[in-house]
Amino acid sequence: MKRIRRDRKLWLCRHQRLEGERKNRARDRLRERRTAAVIEALPTNPSPNEVEVYRRGRSRVVPVRGEAQPMPEIFCLDRNPDETLAYLTALRERSLPADLGLRATRRQLRAGTTILRSYSDFSTIKTISASAALLLAAEYDRIQQIKNLKMSAVNLKRWNPAVRSLLNELGFLELVGIEKGTRARYAMSAGGVRIAHFRRGHTLDPISSGELTDLLATMIEDCGVVQDLIERNLYGALVEAMENAIRWAYPVDGHYAFEPIGAWWMTGAVDAGQRRMNVVLYDQGVSIPARLPEWDQYPTFRRLFRRAFKHDAVATGEDDAFAIRTAIKVAKTSTGMSHHGKGLAVFKDVIDRGLHGHLRILSRRGDYLYERGKRPTMKTLSQDIGGTLIEWEVLF
Amino acid sequence: MIRLAQEFSRYPGGRFRAMGPFSGEAFRDDLLVPALSRAIGGSGGPVVVLLDGAAGYPASFLEEAFGGLIRAGQFSPAEIRDHLKVVSHDARYAVYRQLAEKYLQDEIERIH
């Protein structure tokens, strides 16, 4: 029998140990996937301490140890920003740390049972806006990617039908694993708000942007209105915003409250009743105010900003909206500036070239709103939005 | 004539190739510069770039495609002025034509 050398023996032992550790980690991840759940299910008369969880085409009644986390009735960054942002912050704090709050014993795993420690109660939402829905989808998307687990839907049948239909069209139900046949039951009814399936990317994707603007133009035509988006250059502004997000939002040495995945998300919606179209782009990066010091126009910006505030914008979140306004002003009016940095300036052009509508930029704690012919309004949000959201609203 | 929407893309992209597809840099280097080289070399008339038909134009695309032409330094401003025309037949694209011309002019003034 061939004699094994000592170093070979040591290598074999180490290899077996590492292999064993790898298998244990894989088993732990599998267990975590089976036991993790944060949301609702399809009911068959669950008791007060139970909910129905819908996953992979099946519904199961699952006991709940803790309490449901009610979601705001009005889930909207415009009409109810404080509660909406408070929920999203709580969702990140609850879901992104290592402990998801869900445990199952071996016996429960073998029995195929799961215990929920808590879940978000979507049935309390009465109305949801397109931008808030996109933020929600982006957070769930991030959680699923980071934790490598599939979130679930809880008590789906109890959700408000209009909210459920909108989230279905957005792609949220698909995100949480509702299978196609069930999703088809919750298709949007005619005359409501139509929303495009959200898109996510990590690189510049002009084709997705173009397809979105083409789809929105078609939705507007279906309302019996001819609204030309080409002259407004909504497409150009959307690509510009996407490029800004990719170039600036995720610096390697950036400070992030929660782990980012370096992505952007976008969607668009048309409300036939209100004759309104919204296009939204969101990233979970460090925010515009935080990146301003690296802008080549920062000296000009700083001079203007300190004239009004006597401090640097990035030092505090209280003046983020003013920082956004000043940055747009510098980008728009600076002559002889370098060929970079024109992005922010073109966002307003979409509104300036039309009759009615507004541009809204939410970044860190800043809320900047611009309407054609009016002075911009600036507010400070109660919480950090967790990145930058840009929304164009056009009335037709 | 270079019909940008048909020969390059209906969905123009960002500024640089590294950012993604259909960039201003790609349009300039792959289509515009070779066409200008041929035109300046004497074969045929000026290069006409037709902007009609695209979904729209990001400002950084136009700036890199046309302003970047001056920065690249392969052609003098006089050569570009004499051999390049940016046109639009559709009134909706007039604003993009004006932007392209503005970026060309801004860069000429900045450098010279």
Side-chain angles (χ1 to χ4, degrees):
Chain A
M1 185 174 139
K2 193 178 173 181
R3 220 177 143 183
I4 303 175
R5 284 183 7 214
R6 186 167 177 273
D7 56 349
R8 175 81 178 150
K9 261 191 210 171
L10 286 171
W11 183 88
L12 279 170
C13 290
R14 183 168 175 268
H15 178 73
Q16 277 174 351
R17 180 173 54 78
L18 289 174
E19 195 61 19
E21 284 172 4
R22 187 189 65 77
K23 284 180 182 166
N24 286 340
R25 282 198 298 272
R27 193 182 60 225
D28 287 342
R29 277 200 299 272
L30 184 61
R31 183 181 302 154
E32 203 176 353
R33 242 179 271 148
R34 283 180 185 160
T35 62
V38 179
I39 318 181
E40 305 124 339
L42 294 174
T44 45
N45 297 325
S47 71
N49 294 327
E50 292 176 325
V51 291
E52 206 150 348
V53 177
Y54 188 89
R55 292 184 79 189
R56 295 195 202 108
R58 286 178 28 196
S59 70
R60 284 185 304 164
V61 175
V62 169
V64 179
R65 188 183 296 165
E67 288 185 358
Q69 310 289 325
M71 294 180 71
E73 280 191 8
I74 301 175
F75 201 81
C76 177
L77 294 167
D78 192 14
R79 292 159 58 195
N80 189 15
D82 292 348
E83 287 186 9
T84 302
L85 289 175
Y87 166 78
L88 289 167
T89 304
L91 174 66
R92 291 177 199 123
E93 288 169 354
R94 201 167 66 234
S95 308
L96 283 173
D99 179 10
L100 267 177
L102 302 163
R103 295 288 181 265
T105 62
R106 278 184 199 274
R107 195 180 311 126
Q108 286 162 339
L109 276 173
R110 280 198 294 271
T113 61
T114 303
I115 295 177
L116 288 184
R117 200 172 279 186
S118 71
Y119 66 95
S120 293
D121 187 358
F122 275 57
S123 66
T124 54
I125 305 177
K126 293 201 169 31
T127 174
I128 186 167
S129 68
S131 51
L134 183 69
L135 248 68
L136 188 64
E139 289 306 331
Y140 272 68
D141 197 13
R142 166 163 61 173
I143 292 166
Q144 292 191 154
Q145 300 237 5
I146 290 174
K147 306 304 288 185
N148 193 25
L149 58 85
K150 201 70 178 170
M151 313 277 267
S152 301
V154 176
N155 289 345
L156 185 61
K157 285 184 187 169
R158 295 183 190 169
W159 297 13
N160 175 290
V163 169
R164 187 174 54 212
S165 295
L166 187 137
L167 289 174
N168 183 27
E169 268 208 25
L170 177 69
F172 184 81
L173 296 195
E174 186 181 345
L175 191 62
V176 295
I178 306 293
E179 48 95 24
K180 201 172 172 183
T182 305
R183 295 201 311 265
R185 298 208 294 264
Y186 303 126
M188 183 65 72
S189 55
V193 175
R194 293 182 59 190
I195 191 166
H197 197 294
F198 82 86
R199 293 150 206 258
R200 181 234 301 141
H202 297 83
T203 58
L204 191 63
D205 189 350
I207 294 176
S208 282
S209 306
E211 287 173 349
L212 176 62
T213 51
D214 288 346
L215 175 63
L216 291 171
T218 304
M219 286 182 183
I220 294 173
E221 273 177 35
D222 291 345
C223 299
V225 173
V226 175
Q227 172 76 29
D228 187 21
L229 297 178
I230 289 176
E231 245 180 324
R232 280 181 176 264
N233 202 16
L234 178 62
Y235 165 81
L238 191 55
V239 172
E240 205 71 46
M242 195 183 287
E243 189 172 25
N244 278 358
I246 292 162
R247 283 187 66 202
W248 297 101
Y250 300 105
V252 171
D253 56 351
H255 168 72
Y256 303 96
F258 299 95
E259 184 183 343
I261 58 172
W264 51 260
W265 291 260
M266 73 175 172
T267 189
V270 169
D271 185 336
Q274 308 247 347
R275 297 177 76 82
R276 178 178 67 195
M277 178 195 73
N278 296 79
V279 177
V280 192
L281 185 96
Y282 174 61
D283 71 66
Q284 295 169 338
V286 296
S287 83
I288 294 172
R291 287 290 268 168
L292 285 171
E294 286 151 77
W295 188 25
D296 58 0
Q297 294 302 308
Y298 185 63
T300 310
F301 164 88
R302 193 161 175 248
R303 201 168 51 245
L304 278 179
F305 192 85
R306 282 174 75 95
R307 219 182 272 170
F309 292 98
K310 311 288 185 252
H311 64 77
D312 289 331
V314 296
T316 168
E318 293 296 321
D319 305 309
D320 282 349
F322 293 92
I324 296 166
R325 183 193 70 169
T326 308
I328 292 176
K329 205 172 171 181
V330 170
K332 193 90 176 163
T333 60
S334 287
T335 54
M337 62 185 278
S338 76
H339 49 284
H340 291 283
K342 296 189 186 334
L344 276 178
V346 307
F347 296 166
K348 286 172 74 179
D349 290 346
V350 175
I351 307 305
D352 286 339
R353 287 180 192 166
L355 288 175
H356 300 290
H358 70 243
L359 161 72
R360 192 162 185 210
I361 301 178
L362 302 171
S363 194
R364 204 160 64 176
R365 290 184 58 201
D367 182 352
Y368 168 90
L369 180 76
Y370 170 75
E371 290 179 83
R372 186 177 174 209
K374 296 183 184 175
R375 290 174 68 89
T377 57
M378 284 148 288
K379 293 180 198 166
T380 300
L381 299 170
S382 59
Q383 314 240 8
D384 187 334
I385 195 176
T388 298
L389 181 139
I390 300 173
E391 179 182 40
W392 293 270
E393 180 173 289
V394 168
L395 304 179
F396 55 85
Chain B
M1 178 182 282
I2 300 176
R3 291 176 173 78
L4 200 152
Q6 288 77 34
E7 295 174 36
F8 184 67
S9 175
R10 186 167 176 265
Y11 303 125
R15 184 179 287 275
F16 299 121
R17 278 184 212 270
M19 297 299 295
F22 311 124
S23 65
E25 183 185 14
F27 171 73
R28 183 193 67 223
D29 293 346
D30 298 347
L31 265 79
L32 196 49
V33 165
L36 268 173
S37 298
R38 287 192 297 272
I40 292 169
S43 54
V47 175
V48 178
V49 178
L50 178 64
L51 301 181
D52 296 2
Y57 289 93
S60 52
F61 174 92
L62 290 175
E63 207 288 326
E64 189 62 30
F66 296 102
L69 202 53
I70 305 291
R71 284 193 296 278
Q74 284 170 279
F75 311 107
S76 68
E79 285 175 326
I80 292 173
R81 232 187 335 260
D82 293 340
H83 293 90
L84 175 65
K85 279 186 172 33
V86 182
V87 302
S88 63
H89 300 320
D90 187 331
R92 295 175 299 169
Y93 291 88
V95 62
Y96 304 116
R97 174 181 52 78
Q98 288 158 8
L99 268 178
E101 289 166 355
K102 178 184 177 310
Y103 291 142
L104 265 170
Q105 191 55 36
D106 284 352
E107 207 52 34
I108 291 172
E109 285 170 8
R110 194 179 73 84
I111 289 180
H112 295 94

